[in-house]
Amino acid sequence: MAGFRLRITAGDVWGGLAASAVALPQTMAFGVALFAMAGLDPAAGAVAGMVGAALLCLMTGSVGGADGMISAPTGPTLVLLGGAITAMVAAAIPTPTLLAALAALIVLTGVFQIVIGWSGGGRLIKYIPYPVISGFMTGSALLMFASQWKPASGLGAGDDWADWRWIPVVAAVVTFVATRYMPRLLPKLPGTIA
């Protein structure tokens, strides 16, 4: 430990804050969405998402990575895991087994990614045509948009929420405007934090 010096720059601090501002809500939302698809308690899904974010950071840090790399789940991951859960629910897998099967699927996916990375298999992505990647990402975006349309528009709210339907719409508009224009007003701050 004699030669070890910890050098933290302002970029490291801003990068960490930006990563946490993206990763924590995103993993919580993914947990809620996946648990809701499985017919489980969405609150437990939010907790599972936070635990998943912490484990993701620990695993990424222990395995290595590239300078400046920020690990977070992606939209296509949600689509693929949602499809896996839908298939498991359709196969009438009981709930405790469903959670174990989902955990095993995620761990095996990570193991395969590590093996592919160590073997240099990541270079094979250059052989997949651009329209395939673009189409997959566009399809994922459309599925995410479609899944959020009903909650964001306030449609389907029960009678108890009839007077509150405007809140999701206002929250969506304020979030969009803040995300779009705050970096212009505060250019020294990273956009995610601003």
Side-chain angles (χ1 to χ4, degrees):
M1 296 296 279
F4 179 76
R5 277 191 4 207
L6 183 63
R7 289 183 284 161
I8 298 177
T9 65
D12 293 330
V13 173
W14 287 122
L17 289 173
S20 64
V22 171
L24 281 176
Q26 190 174 23
T27 55
M28 288 172 58
F30 285 2
V32 168
L34 291 173
F35 273 50
M37 283 182 209
L40 302 169
D41 180 23
V47 172
M50 287 193 298
V51 170
L55 291 175
L56 178 68
C57 291
L58 288 174
M59 287 303 298
T60 302
S62 66
V63 173
D67 288 341
M69 183 176 88
I70 298 173
S71 295
T74 62
T77 304
L78 176 64
V79 173
L80 294 173
L81 287 176
I85 285 182
T86 302
M88 290 179 203
V89 169
I93 295 176
T95 302
T97 309
L98 181 72
L99 290 176
L102 183 61
L105 176 69
I106 292 170
V107 168
L108 282 173
T109 302
V111 169
F112 287 141
Q113 284 182 330
I114 290 170
V115 169
I116 290 169
W118 281 341
S119 68
R123 290 186 297 251
L124 297 175
I125 192 71
K126 65 184 174 187
Y127 296 112
I128 297 177
Y130 177 78
V132 172
I133 302 293
S134 178
F136 180 72
M137 296 301 287
T138 302
S140 298
L142 291 173
L143 287 172
M144 286 186 279
F145 180 78
S147 72
Q148 294 303 306
W149 176 253
K150 192 172 179 181
S153 65
L155 297 174
D159 292 335
D160 295 339
W161 285 92
D163 295 335
W164 300 93
R165 287 186 189 170
W166 58 273
I167 292 176
V169 175
V170 170
V173 169
V174 168
T175 301
F176 174 78
V177 169
T179 304
R180 181 80 172 109
Y181 296 108
M182 285 304 285
R184 292 180 185 177
L185 296 175
L186 303 170
K188 295 199 183 236
L189 288 179
T192 306
I193 294 172

PDB file of all heavy atoms in Angstrom, residues 13-56:
ATOM      1  N   VAL A  13     -16.158  13.070  -9.204  1.00  0.00           N
ATOM      2  CA  VAL A  13     -17.308  13.347  -8.328  1.00  0.00           C
ATOM      3  C   VAL A  13     -18.564  13.579  -9.164  1.00  0.00           C
ATOM      4  O   VAL A  13     -19.617  12.987  -8.909  1.00  0.00           O
ATOM      5  CB  VAL A  13     -17.025  14.566  -7.419  1.00  0.00           C
ATOM      6  CG1 VAL A  13     -18.266  14.960  -6.632  1.00  0.00           C
ATOM      7  CG2 VAL A  13     -15.874  14.252  -6.469  1.00  0.00           C
ATOM      8  N   TRP A  14     -18.461  14.432 -10.196  1.00  0.00           N
ATOM      9  CA  TRP A  14     -19.621  14.700 -11.054  1.00  0.00           C
ATOM     10  C   TRP A  14     -20.062  13.432 -11.775  1.00  0.00           C
ATOM     11  O   TRP A  14     -21.252  13.165 -11.923  1.00  0.00           O
ATOM     12  CB  TRP A  14     -19.333  15.799 -12.067  1.00  0.00           C
ATOM     13  CG  TRP A  14     -19.271  17.177 -11.482  1.00  0.00           C
ATOM     14  CD1 TRP A  14     -18.216  18.035 -11.539  1.00  0.00           C
ATOM     15  CD2 TRP A  14     -20.292  17.848 -10.744  1.00  0.00           C
ATOM     16  NE1 TRP A  14     -18.517  19.190 -10.875  1.00  0.00           N
ATOM     17  CE2 TRP A  14     -19.787  19.107 -10.374  1.00  0.00           C
ATOM     18  CE3 TRP A  14     -21.573  17.506 -10.337  1.00  0.00           C
ATOM     19  CZ2 TRP A  14     -20.507  20.026  -9.642  1.00  0.00           C
ATOM     20  CZ3 TRP A  14     -22.310  18.432  -9.603  1.00  0.00           C
ATOM     21  CH2 TRP A  14     -21.774  19.661  -9.269  1.00  0.00           C
ATOM     22  N   GLY A  15     -19.091  12.649 -12.236  1.00  0.00           N
ATOM     23  CA  GLY A  15     -19.417  11.395 -12.918  1.00  0.00           C
ATOM     24  C   GLY A  15     -20.130  10.415 -11.995  1.00  0.00           C
ATOM     25  O   GLY A  15     -21.094   9.756 -12.395  1.00  0.00           O
ATOM     26  N   GLY A  16     -19.661  10.313 -10.755  1.00  0.00           N
ATOM     27  CA  GLY A  16     -20.322   9.435  -9.779  1.00  0.00           C
ATOM     28  C   GLY A  16     -21.733   9.887  -9.464  1.00  0.00           C
ATOM     29  O   GLY A  16     -22.660   9.069  -9.374  1.00  0.00           O
ATOM     30  N   LEU A  17     -21.915  11.195  -9.295  1.00  0.00           N
ATOM     31  CA  LEU A  17     -23.259  11.720  -9.025  1.00  0.00           C
ATOM     32  C   LEU A  17     -24.188  11.509 -10.227  1.00  0.00           C
ATOM     33  O   LEU A  17     -25.350  11.137 -10.063  1.00  0.00           O
ATOM     34  CB  LEU A  17     -23.190  13.202  -8.664  1.00  0.00           C
ATOM     35  CG  LEU A  17     -22.596  13.525  -7.301  1.00  0.00           C
ATOM     36  CD1 LEU A  17     -22.416  15.036  -7.130  1.00  0.00           C
ATOM     37  CD2 LEU A  17     -23.468  12.970  -6.190  1.00  0.00           C
ATOM     38  N   ALA A  18     -23.653  11.740 -11.427  1.00  0.00           N
ATOM     39  CA  ALA A  18     -24.473  11.529 -12.633  1.00  0.00           C
ATOM     40  C   ALA A  18     -24.841  10.059 -12.782  1.00  0.00           C
ATOM     41  O   ALA A  18     -25.983   9.722 -13.114  1.00  0.00           O
ATOM     42  CB  ALA A  18     -23.724  12.022 -13.869  1.00  0.00           C
ATOM     43  N   ALA A  19     -23.879   9.175 -12.527  1.00  0.00           N
ATOM     44  CA  ALA A  19     -24.153   7.739 -12.641  1.00  0.00           C
ATOM     45  C   ALA A  19     -25.205   7.302 -11.635  1.00  0.00           C
ATOM     46  O   ALA A  19     -26.118   6.536 -11.956  1.00  0.00           O
ATOM     47  CB  ALA A  19     -22.866   6.941 -12.443  1.00  0.00           C
ATOM     48  N   SER A  20     -25.103   7.810 -10.406  1.00  0.00           N
ATOM     49  CA  SER A  20     -26.097   7.422  -9.404  1.00  0.00           C
ATOM     50  C   SER A  20     -27.458   8.026  -9.717  1.00  0.00           C
ATOM     51  O   SER A  20     -28.489   7.399  -9.458  1.00  0.00           O
ATOM     52  CB  SER A  20     -25.635   7.826  -8.000  1.00  0.00           C
ATOM     53  OG  SER A  20     -25.533   9.230  -7.891  1.00  0.00           O
ATOM     54  N   ALA A  21     -27.472   9.222 -10.296  1.00  0.00           N
ATOM     55  CA  ALA A  21     -28.752   9.843 -10.658  1.00  0.00           C
ATOM     56  C   ALA A  21     -29.453   9.070 -11.765  1.00  0.00           C
ATOM     57  O   ALA A  21     -30.673   9.097 -11.867  1.00  0.00           O
ATOM     58  CB  ALA A  21     -28.531  11.293 -11.096  1.00  0.00           C
ATOM     59  N   VAL A  22     -28.681   8.358 -12.583  1.00  0.00           N
ATOM     60  CA  VAL A  22     -29.269   7.556 -13.650  1.00  0.00           C
ATOM     61  C   VAL A  22     -29.528   6.130 -13.181  1.00  0.00           C
ATOM     62  O   VAL A  22     -30.619   5.586 -13.369  1.00  0.00           O
ATOM     63  CB  VAL A  22     -28.352   7.551 -14.897  1.00  0.00           C
ATOM     64  CG1 VAL A  22     -28.830   6.552 -15.921  1.00  0.00           C
ATOM     65  CG2 VAL A  22     -28.280   8.941 -15.503  1.00  0.00           C
ATOM     66  N   ALA A  23     -28.530   5.514 -12.560  1.00  0.00           N
ATOM     67  CA  ALA A  23     -28.602   4.082 -12.250  1.00  0.00           C
ATOM     68  C   ALA A  23     -29.649   3.757 -11.187  1.00  0.00           C
ATOM     69  O   ALA A  23     -30.407   2.790 -11.348  1.00  0.00           O
ATOM     70  CB  ALA A  23     -27.236   3.572 -11.815  1.00  0.00           C
ATOM     71  N   LEU A  24     -29.713   4.518 -10.112  1.00  0.00           N
ATOM     72  CA  LEU A  24     -30.650   4.161  -9.036  1.00  0.00           C
ATOM     73  C   LEU A  24     -32.114   4.220  -9.468  1.00  0.00           C
ATOM     74  O   LEU A  24     -32.835   3.239  -9.305  1.00  0.00           O
ATOM     75  CB  LEU A  24     -30.407   5.025  -7.795  1.00  0.00           C
ATOM     76  CG  LEU A  24     -29.222   4.593  -6.951  1.00  0.00           C
ATOM     77  CD1 LEU A  24     -29.004   5.558  -5.799  1.00  0.00           C
ATOM     78  CD2 LEU A  24     -29.407   3.193  -6.425  1.00  0.00           C
ATOM     79  N   PRO A  25     -32.591   5.328 -10.033  1.00  0.00           N
ATOM     80  CA  PRO A  25     -33.993   5.323 -10.460  1.00  0.00           C
ATOM     81  C   PRO A  25     -34.270   4.300 -11.557  1.00  0.00           C
ATOM     82  O   PRO A  25     -35.334   3.680 -11.588  1.00  0.00           O
ATOM     83  CB  PRO A  25     -34.235   6.746 -10.977  1.00  0.00           C
ATOM     84  CG  PRO A  25     -33.109   7.560 -10.513  1.00  0.00           C
ATOM     85  CD  PRO A  25     -31.972   6.639 -10.225  1.00  0.00           C
ATOM     86  N   GLN A  26     -33.292   4.110 -12.442  1.00  0.00           N
ATOM     87  CA  GLN A  26     -33.491   3.179 -13.537  1.00  0.00           C
ATOM     88  C   GLN A  26     -33.591   1.742 -13.015  1.00  0.00           C
ATOM     89  O   GLN A  26     -34.486   0.999 -13.421  1.00  0.00           O
ATOM     90  CB  GLN A  26     -32.339   3.303 -14.531  1.00  0.00           C
ATOM     91  CG  GLN A  26     -32.561   2.570 -15.820  1.00  0.00           C
ATOM     92  CD  GLN A  26     -31.446   2.841 -16.818  1.00  0.00           C
ATOM     93  OE1 GLN A  26     -30.340   3.215 -16.456  1.00  0.00           O
ATOM     94  NE2 GLN A  26     -31.741   2.650 -18.079  1.00  0.00           N
ATOM     95  N   THR A  27     -32.711   1.351 -12.109  1.00  0.00           N
ATOM     96  CA  THR A  27     -32.780  -0.009 -11.584  1.00  0.00           C
ATOM     97  C   THR A  27     -34.030  -0.215 -10.741  1.00  0.00           C
ATOM     98  O   THR A  27     -34.622  -1.297 -10.764  1.00  0.00           O
ATOM     99  CB  THR A  27     -31.534  -0.370 -10.760  1.00  0.00           C
ATOM    100  OG1 THR A  27     -31.355   0.596  -9.723  1.00  0.00           O
ATOM    101  CG2 THR A  27     -30.298  -0.433 -11.621  1.00  0.00           C
ATOM    102  N   MET A  28     -34.443   0.816 -10.009  1.00  0.00           N
ATOM    103  CA  MET A  28     -35.684   0.697  -9.240  1.00  0.00           C
ATOM    104  C   MET A  28     -36.878   0.525 -10.179  1.00  0.00           C
ATOM    105  O   MET A  28     -37.747  -0.318  -9.940  1.00  0.00           O
ATOM    106  CB  MET A  28     -35.871   1.924  -8.346  1.00  0.00           C
ATOM    107  CG  MET A  28     -34.905   1.966  -7.175  1.00  0.00           C
ATOM    108  SD  MET A  28     -34.958   3.505  -6.235  1.00  0.00           S
ATOM    109  CE  MET A  28     -36.642   3.567  -5.721  1.00  0.00           C
ATOM    110  N   ALA A  29     -36.906   1.299 -11.256  1.00  0.00           N
ATOM    111  CA  ALA A  29     -38.007   1.185 -12.218  1.00  0.00           C
ATOM    112  C   ALA A  29     -38.009  -0.181 -12.887  1.00  0.00           C
ATOM    113  O   ALA A  29     -39.073  -0.786 -13.080  1.00  0.00           O
ATOM    114  CB  ALA A  29     -37.896   2.286 -13.275  1.00  0.00           C
ATOM    115  N   PHE A  30     -36.827  -0.688 -13.222  1.00  0.00           N
ATOM    116  CA  PHE A  30     -36.745  -2.016 -13.825  1.00  0.00           C
ATOM    117  C   PHE A  30     -37.249  -3.071 -12.855  1.00  0.00           C
ATOM    118  O   PHE A  30     -37.966  -3.992 -13.244  1.00  0.00           O
ATOM    119  CB  PHE A  30     -35.316  -2.336 -14.243  1.00  0.00           C
ATOM    120  CG  PHE A  30     -34.869  -1.620 -15.492  1.00  0.00           C
ATOM    121  CD1 PHE A  30     -35.693  -0.718 -16.142  1.00  0.00           C
ATOM    122  CD2 PHE A  30     -33.617  -1.847 -16.014  1.00  0.00           C
ATOM    123  CE1 PHE A  30     -35.284  -0.064 -17.280  1.00  0.00           C
ATOM    124  CE2 PHE A  30     -33.191  -1.197 -17.159  1.00  0.00           C
ATOM    125  CZ  PHE A  30     -34.027  -0.297 -17.795  1.00  0.00           C
ATOM    126  N   GLY A  31     -36.868  -2.954 -11.582  1.00  0.00           N
ATOM    127  CA  GLY A  31     -37.345  -3.913 -10.576  1.00  0.00           C
ATOM    128  C   GLY A  31     -38.853  -3.880 -10.435  1.00  0.00           C
ATOM    129  O   GLY A  31     -39.513  -4.926 -10.384  1.00  0.00           O
ATOM    130  N   VAL A  32     -39.415  -2.674 -10.396  1.00  0.00           N
ATOM    131  CA  VAL A  32     -40.872  -2.531 -10.292  1.00  0.00           C
ATOM    132  C   VAL A  32     -41.544  -3.148 -11.515  1.00  0.00           C
ATOM    133  O   VAL A  32     -42.515  -3.913 -11.395  1.00  0.00           O
ATOM    134  CB  VAL A  32     -41.262  -1.045 -10.135  1.00  0.00           C
ATOM    135  CG1 VAL A  32     -42.758  -0.843 -10.316  1.00  0.00           C
ATOM    136  CG2 VAL A  32     -40.823  -0.522  -8.775  1.00  0.00           C
ATOM    137  N   ALA A  33     -41.036  -2.844 -12.700  1.00  0.00           N
ATOM    138  CA  ALA A  33     -41.646  -3.362 -13.933  1.00  0.00           C
ATOM    139  C   ALA A  33     -41.569  -4.884 -13.988  1.00  0.00           C
ATOM    140  O   ALA A  33     -42.561  -5.550 -14.304  1.00  0.00           O
ATOM    141  CB  ALA A  33     -40.955  -2.757 -15.151  1.00  0.00           C
ATOM    142  N   LEU A  34     -40.414  -5.449 -13.669  1.00  0.00           N
ATOM    143  CA  LEU A  34     -40.258  -6.900 -13.741  1.00  0.00           C
ATOM    144  C   LEU A  34     -41.099  -7.616 -12.687  1.00  0.00           C
ATOM    145  O   LEU A  34     -41.720  -8.636 -12.967  1.00  0.00           O
ATOM    146  CB  LEU A  34     -38.783  -7.286 -13.605  1.00  0.00           C
ATOM    147  CG  LEU A  34     -37.897  -6.897 -14.779  1.00  0.00           C
ATOM    148  CD1 LEU A  34     -36.435  -7.178 -14.473  1.00  0.00           C
ATOM    149  CD2 LEU A  34     -38.317  -7.619 -16.048  1.00  0.00           C
ATOM    150  N   PHE A  35     -41.127  -7.075 -11.472  1.00  0.00           N
ATOM    151  CA  PHE A  35     -41.932  -7.707 -10.421  1.00  0.00           C
ATOM    152  C   PHE A  35     -43.416  -7.597 -10.742  1.00  0.00           C
ATOM    153  O   PHE A  35     -44.181  -8.512 -10.472  1.00  0.00           O
ATOM    154  CB  PHE A  35     -41.627  -7.087  -9.054  1.00  0.00           C
ATOM    155  CG  PHE A  35     -40.465  -7.737  -8.348  1.00  0.00           C
ATOM    156  CD1 PHE A  35     -39.257  -7.935  -8.993  1.00  0.00           C
ATOM    157  CD2 PHE A  35     -40.581  -8.150  -7.043  1.00  0.00           C
ATOM    158  CE1 PHE A  35     -38.186  -8.529  -8.346  1.00  0.00           C
ATOM    159  CE2 PHE A  35     -39.529  -8.750  -6.386  1.00  0.00           C
ATOM    160  CZ  PHE A  35     -38.314  -8.939  -7.035  1.00  0.00           C
ATOM    161  N   ALA A  36     -43.836  -6.456 -11.326  1.00  0.00           N
ATOM    162  CA  ALA A  36     -45.246  -6.306 -11.691  1.00  0.00           C
ATOM    163  C   ALA A  36     -45.627  -7.298 -12.785  1.00  0.00           C
ATOM    164  O   ALA A  36     -46.722  -7.865 -12.767  1.00  0.00           O
ATOM    165  CB  ALA A  36     -45.524  -4.875 -12.149  1.00  0.00           C
ATOM    166  N   MET A  37     -44.716  -7.542 -13.746  1.00  0.00           N
ATOM    167  CA  MET A  37     -44.993  -8.520 -14.801  1.00  0.00           C
ATOM    168  C   MET A  37     -45.170  -9.917 -14.221  1.00  0.00           C
ATOM    169  O   MET A  37     -45.939 -10.714 -14.746  1.00  0.00           O
ATOM    170  CB  MET A  37     -43.836  -8.561 -15.808  1.00  0.00           C
ATOM    171  CG  MET A  37     -43.804  -7.443 -16.778  1.00  0.00           C
ATOM    172  SD  MET A  37     -42.415  -7.719 -17.914  1.00  0.00           S
ATOM    173  CE  MET A  37     -42.023  -6.060 -18.335  1.00  0.00           C
ATOM    174  N   ALA A  38     -44.431 -10.187 -13.150  1.00  0.00           N
ATOM    175  CA  ALA A  38     -44.495 -11.512 -12.530  1.00  0.00           C
ATOM    176  C   ALA A  38     -45.636 -11.621 -11.533  1.00  0.00           C
ATOM    177  O   ALA A  38     -45.848 -12.681 -10.949  1.00  0.00           O
ATOM    178  CB  ALA A  38     -43.172 -11.829 -11.839  1.00  0.00           C
ATOM    179  N   GLY A  39     -46.375 -10.523 -11.317  1.00  0.00           N
ATOM    180  CA  GLY A  39     -47.472 -10.536 -10.362  1.00  0.00           C
ATOM    181  C   GLY A  39     -47.003 -10.437  -8.926  1.00  0.00           C
ATOM    182  O   GLY A  39     -47.695 -10.850  -8.003  1.00  0.00           O
ATOM    183  N   LEU A  40     -45.812  -9.865  -8.717  1.00  0.00           N
ATOM    184  CA  LEU A  40     -45.244  -9.715  -7.374  1.00  0.00           C
ATOM    185  C   LEU A  40     -45.393  -8.278  -6.891  1.00  0.00           C
ATOM    186  O   LEU A  40     -45.777  -7.393  -7.646  1.00  0.00           O
ATOM    187  CB  LEU A  40     -43.771 -10.128  -7.390  1.00  0.00           C
ATOM    188  CG  LEU A  40     -43.503 -11.561  -7.855  1.00  0.00           C
ATOM    189  CD1 LEU A  40     -42.019 -11.770  -8.090  1.00  0.00           C
ATOM    190  CD2 LEU A  40     -44.016 -12.545  -6.820  1.00  0.00           C
ATOM    191  N   ASP A  41     -45.045  -8.054  -5.634  1.00  0.00           N
ATOM    192  CA  ASP A  41     -45.156  -6.736  -5.024  1.00  0.00           C
ATOM    193  C   ASP A  41     -44.176  -5.758  -5.680  1.00  0.00           C
ATOM    194  O   ASP A  41     -42.961  -5.968  -5.615  1.00  0.00           O
ATOM    195  CB  ASP A  41     -44.861  -6.848  -3.528  1.00  0.00           C
ATOM    196  CG  ASP A  41     -44.959  -5.523  -2.810  1.00  0.00           C
ATOM    197  OD1 ASP A  41     -45.644  -4.615  -3.319  1.00  0.00           O
ATOM    198  OD2 ASP A  41     -44.356  -5.390  -1.723  1.00  0.00           O
ATOM    199  N   PRO A  42     -44.671  -4.685  -6.308  1.00  0.00           N
ATOM    200  CA  PRO A  42     -43.770  -3.731  -6.955  1.00  0.00           C
ATOM    201  C   PRO A  42     -42.795  -3.053  -5.985  1.00  0.00           C
ATOM    202  O   PRO A  42     -41.688  -2.713  -6.373  1.00  0.00           O
ATOM    203  CB  PRO A  42     -44.715  -2.700  -7.579  1.00  0.00           C
ATOM    204  CG  PRO A  42     -46.012  -3.412  -7.737  1.00  0.00           C
ATOM    205  CD  PRO A  42     -46.074  -4.384  -6.586  1.00  0.00           C
ATOM    206  N   ALA A  43     -43.204  -2.868  -4.722  1.00  0.00           N
ATOM    207  CA  ALA A  43     -42.291  -2.258  -3.751  1.00  0.00           C
ATOM    208  C   ALA A  43     -41.075  -3.147  -3.530  1.00  0.00           C
ATOM    209  O   ALA A  43     -39.948  -2.660  -3.410  1.00  0.00           O
ATOM    210  CB  ALA A  43     -43.019  -2.006  -2.437  1.00  0.00           C
ATOM    211  N   ALA A  44     -41.298  -4.453  -3.483  1.00  0.00           N
ATOM    212  CA  ALA A  44     -40.165  -5.381  -3.369  1.00  0.00           C
ATOM    213  C   ALA A  44     -39.295  -5.296  -4.616  1.00  0.00           C
ATOM    214  O   ALA A  44     -38.072  -5.458  -4.541  1.00  0.00           O
ATOM    215  CB  ALA A  44     -40.670  -6.804  -3.164  1.00  0.00           C
ATOM    216  N   GLY A  45     -39.902  -5.015  -5.767  1.00  0.00           N
ATOM    217  CA  GLY A  45     -39.137  -4.838  -6.998  1.00  0.00           C
ATOM    218  C   GLY A  45     -38.230  -3.620  -6.933  1.00  0.00           C
ATOM    219  O   GLY A  45     -37.110  -3.655  -7.431  1.00  0.00           O
ATOM    220  N   ALA A  46     -38.718  -2.542  -6.307  1.00  0.00           N
ATOM    221  CA  ALA A  46     -37.884  -1.344  -6.157  1.00  0.00           C
ATOM    222  C   ALA A  46     -36.674  -1.634  -5.282  1.00  0.00           C
ATOM    223  O   ALA A  46     -35.553  -1.228  -5.589  1.00  0.00           O
ATOM    224  CB  ALA A  46     -38.708  -0.198  -5.575  1.00  0.00           C
ATOM    225  N   VAL A  47     -36.895  -2.371  -4.194  1.00  0.00           N
ATOM    226  CA  VAL A  47     -35.783  -2.743  -3.314  1.00  0.00           C
ATOM    227  C   VAL A  47     -34.812  -3.664  -4.058  1.00  0.00           C
ATOM    228  O   VAL A  47     -33.593  -3.501  -3.981  1.00  0.00           O
ATOM    229  CB  VAL A  47     -36.301  -3.417  -2.022  1.00  0.00           C
ATOM    230  CG1 VAL A  47     -35.160  -3.975  -1.196  1.00  0.00           C
ATOM    231  CG2 VAL A  47     -37.112  -2.426  -1.206  1.00  0.00           C
ATOM    232  N   ALA A  48     -35.356  -4.622  -4.802  1.00  0.00           N
ATOM    233  CA  ALA A  48     -34.504  -5.519  -5.588  1.00  0.00           C
ATOM    234  C   ALA A  48     -33.694  -4.732  -6.612  1.00  0.00           C
ATOM    235  O   ALA A  48     -32.524  -5.051  -6.862  1.00  0.00           O
ATOM    236  CB  ALA A  48     -35.361  -6.576  -6.279  1.00  0.00           C
ATOM    237  N   GLY A  49     -34.292  -3.696  -7.183  1.00  0.00           N
ATOM    238  CA  GLY A  49     -33.562  -2.855  -8.124  1.00  0.00           C
ATOM    239  C   GLY A  49     -32.408  -2.125  -7.472  1.00  0.00           C
ATOM    240  O   GLY A  49     -31.311  -2.036  -8.035  1.00  0.00           O
ATOM    241  N   MET A  50     -32.621  -1.595  -6.259  1.00  0.00           N
ATOM    242  CA  MET A  50     -31.537  -0.905  -5.547  1.00  0.00           C
ATOM    243  C   MET A  50     -30.411  -1.871  -5.188  1.00  0.00           C
ATOM    244  O   MET A  50     -29.232  -1.552  -5.331  1.00  0.00           O
ATOM    245  CB  MET A  50     -32.070  -0.219  -4.293  1.00  0.00           C
ATOM    246  CG  MET A  50     -32.878   1.015  -4.588  1.00  0.00           C
ATOM    247  SD  MET A  50     -33.219   2.036  -3.154  1.00  0.00           S
ATOM    248  CE  MET A  50     -34.161   0.944  -2.125  1.00  0.00           C
ATOM    249  N   VAL A  51     -30.784  -3.069  -4.729  1.00  0.00           N
ATOM    250  CA  VAL A  51     -29.764  -4.077  -4.415  1.00  0.00           C
ATOM    251  C   VAL A  51     -29.016  -4.454  -5.695  1.00  0.00           C
ATOM    252  O   VAL A  51     -27.791  -4.598  -5.694  1.00  0.00           O
ATOM    253  CB  VAL A  51     -30.415  -5.313  -3.754  1.00  0.00           C
ATOM    254  CG1 VAL A  51     -29.428  -6.461  -3.636  1.00  0.00           C
ATOM    255  CG2 VAL A  51     -30.966  -4.954  -2.388  1.00  0.00           C
ATOM    256  N   GLY A  52     -29.750  -4.596  -6.795  1.00  0.00           N
ATOM    257  CA  GLY A  52     -29.123  -4.908  -8.073  1.00  0.00           C
ATOM    258  C   GLY A  52     -28.143  -3.832  -8.507  1.00  0.00           C
ATOM    259  O   GLY A  52     -27.067  -4.138  -9.037  1.00  0.00           O
ATOM    260  N   ALA A  53     -28.484  -2.553  -8.286  1.00  0.00           N
ATOM    261  CA  ALA A  53     -27.581  -1.461  -8.652  1.00  0.00           C
ATOM    262  C   ALA A  53     -26.295  -1.532  -7.836  1.00  0.00           C
ATOM    263  O   ALA A  53     -25.191  -1.353  -8.368  1.00  0.00           O
ATOM    264  CB  ALA A  53     -28.266  -0.114  -8.448  1.00  0.00           C
ATOM    265  N   ALA A  54     -26.433  -1.803  -6.540  1.00  0.00           N
ATOM    266  CA  ALA A  54     -25.248  -1.909  -5.681  1.00  0.00           C
ATOM    267  C   ALA A  54     -24.372  -3.081  -6.118  1.00  0.00           C
ATOM    268  O   ALA A  54     -23.143  -2.954  -6.224  1.00  0.00           O
ATOM    269  CB  ALA A  54     -25.674  -2.065  -4.230  1.00  0.00           C
ATOM    270  N   LEU A  55     -24.995  -4.228  -6.389  1.00  0.00           N
ATOM    271  CA  LEU A  55     -24.226  -5.400  -6.822  1.00  0.00           C
ATOM    272  C   LEU A  55     -23.574  -5.171  -8.177  1.00  0.00           C
ATOM    273  O   LEU A  55     -22.442  -5.605  -8.414  1.00  0.00           O
ATOM    274  CB  LEU A  55     -25.124  -6.635  -6.859  1.00  0.00           C
ATOM    275  CG  LEU A  55     -25.582  -7.154  -5.490  1.00  0.00           C
ATOM    276  CD1 LEU A  55     -26.570  -8.308  -5.664  1.00  0.00           C
ATOM    277  CD2 LEU A  55     -24.395  -7.580  -4.651  1.00  0.00           C
ATOM    278  N   LEU A  56     -24.275  -4.486  -9.069  1.00  0.00           N
ATOM    279  CA  LEU A  56     -23.719  -4.179 -10.384  1.00  0.00           C
ATOM    280  C   LEU A  56     -22.457  -3.336 -10.241  1.00  0.00           C
ATOM    281  O   LEU A  56     -21.440  -3.611 -10.878  1.00  0.00           O
ATOM    282  CB  LEU A  56     -24.756  -3.451 -11.238  1.00  0.00           C
ATOM    283  CG  LEU A  56     -24.317  -3.027 -12.634  1.00  0.00           C
ATOM    284  CD1 LEU A  56     -24.102  -4.257 -13.515  1.00  0.00           C
ATOM    285  CD2 LEU A  56     -25.358  -2.113 -13.257  1.00  0.00           C
TER     286      LEU A  56
END
